[in-house]
Amino acid sequence: MPIPEDVTGEEIDKDVRQELQSLPKGLAEDVAKNLVMVARLIDEDPEGAYGYSKVALRLASRVAAVREAAGFAAYANQKYSEALAEFRAARRMTGNVELWPVMADCERGLGRPEKALDMAGAPEVHKLDKAGQVEMRLVAAGARRDMGQLDAAIVTLQSPELASNSVQPWTARLRYAYADALLAAGREDEAREWFAKAVESDKDGSTDASDRLAELDGVEFVDAFEDEDESEDEGAEKVVEDDVEGEEGDLKD
């Protein structure tokens, strides 16, 4: 797959670059460039990212960072079985547990929420950092909802991190998940309160909490461009009607 000229491979993290030092220099550069493309495209063009991840995987399947990138690219394309296999391979190579929450979410994607809950209660969770533990809590709550256990999902999300007034990278998503669970349980007033709190903490627009809050408040958004198009269409129709009336008048004369 083509690599844009502005991609040098130097853009990757220092830790990943260090992993690639086990490869011949030219090969390491090629792998690095493909990994850069995976990171660049994974949000806006998941299929494209997946393609570059397969190239990197073909070049260096024994590098943990490559297996991890391939896992995330597969995950972004909802290829959960493939993603899980890649995450497991990366974990075997490194011994790290940081991929545990996304591995559990793959189990959810495969229709195995019970397995995800088992993972949420495993010893590995205690080895996660705070962000990883919050992510695991989100996955566990999602698994509860998959099983129709709304009240249990709400309780799962109730935590010191949710109650804290400090804003962390995970705060908006945690508050949003809690609000959404409350709404699903029919607790609309509480849901509105927590969607508002999610909006307060969502500085980079990682959720659509503001839209959800507006819906609860009965606010309807109007597309200005659509209105302009409709006005132009109505104007064109009016011109046609006037022309037809004018022609009919000429015929009568």
Side-chain angles (χ1 to χ4, degrees), residues 3 6 9 54 66 70 75 84 93 110 121 128 136 169 180 205 227 234 241 249:
I3 303 289
D6 66 317
K54 298 301 281 186
V66 171
Y75 179 80
L84 186 57
M93 292 176 180
L110 291 168
L128 295 168
M136 193 72 248
D180 192 50
D227 285 350
E234 290 174 359
E241 289 175 1

Side-chain angles (χ1 to χ4, degrees), residues 147-187:
M147 300 167 68
Q149 300 174 0
L150 280 175
D151 289 340
I154 291 170
V155 171
T156 298
L157 293 168
Q158 292 171 346
S159 61
E161 293 81 17
L162 179 67
S164 175
N165 290 323
S166 67
V167 176
Q168 303 295 334
W170 62 76
T171 302
R173 292 178 58 239
L174 184 59
R175 292 176 176 178
Y176 181 94
Y178 188 58
D180 192 50
L182 289 168
L183 187 60
R187 296 161 60 175

Side-chain angles (χ1 to χ4, degrees), residues 8-224:
T8 65
E10 294 296 319
E11 300 90 340
I12 60 174
D13 293 338
K14 181 176 66 176
D15 292 342
V16 177
R17 192 179 303 118
Q18 188 172 353
E19 273 194 72
L20 296 179
Q21 287 179 357
S22 62
L23 303 174
K25 184 178 179 180
L27 179 59
E29 290 177 356
D30 289 341
V31 173
K33 290 178 181 179
N34 280 281
L35 292 180
V36 170
M37 293 305 299
V38 172
R40 177 180 289 190
L41 298 176
I42 197 163
D43 291 327
E44 297 180 359
D45 181 11
E47 289 186 10
Y50 180 74
Y52 283 104
S53 76
K54 298 301 281 186
V55 174
L57 196 59
R58 188 173 67 248
L59 295 174
S61 63
R62 295 185 180 182
V63 175
V66 171
R67 303 302 289 264
E68 184 175 329
F72 278 110
Y75 179 80
N77 284 276
Q78 299 182 0
K79 299 178 183 291
Y80 298 116
S81 180
E82 184 177 338
L84 186 57
E86 296 300 341
F87 289 142
R88 283 173 174 166
R91 183 167 179 267
R92 283 195 302 271
M93 292 176 180
T94 63
N96 293 337
V97 297
E98 59 186 25
L99 294 172
W100 197 252
V102 71
M103 289 168 64
D105 205 40
C106 286
E107 295 287 1
R108 284 187 60 211
L110 291 168
R112 300 194 292 248
E114 298 88 352
K115 178 63 176 176
L117 287 177
D118 288 343
M119 294 179 68
E124 284 82 356
V125 176
H126 300 294
K127 301 176 184 178
L128 295 168
D129 60 14
K130 182 61 68 176
Q133 290 179 5
V134 170
E135 194 65 35
M136 193 72 248
R137 190 176 292 277
L138 288 168
V139 173
R144 290 292 185 190
R145 292 190 62 172
D146 294 342
M147 300 167 68
Q149 300 174 0
L150 280 175
D151 289 340
I154 291 170
V155 171
T156 298
L157 293 168
Q158 292 171 346
S159 61
E161 293 81 17
L162 179 67
S164 175
N165 290 323
S166 67
V167 176
Q168 303 295 334
W170 62 76
T171 302
R173 292 178 58 239
L174 184 59
R175 292 176 176 178
Y176 181 94
Y178 188 58
D180 192 50
L182 289 168
L183 187 60
R187 296 161 60 175
E188 187 170 314
D189 290 342
E190 293 173 85
R192 191 202 175 283
E193 176 187 349
W194 281 97
F195 275 127
K197 290 182 178 180
V199 171
E200 291 174 2
S201 55
D202 193 1
K203 305 303 181 184
D204 58 358
S206 61
T207 73
D208 64 347
S210 59
D211 292 341
R212 300 292 299 277
L213 183 61
E215 288 176 10
L216 288 174
D217 288 341
V219 177
E220 293 185 7
F221 294 100
V222 178
D223 190 329

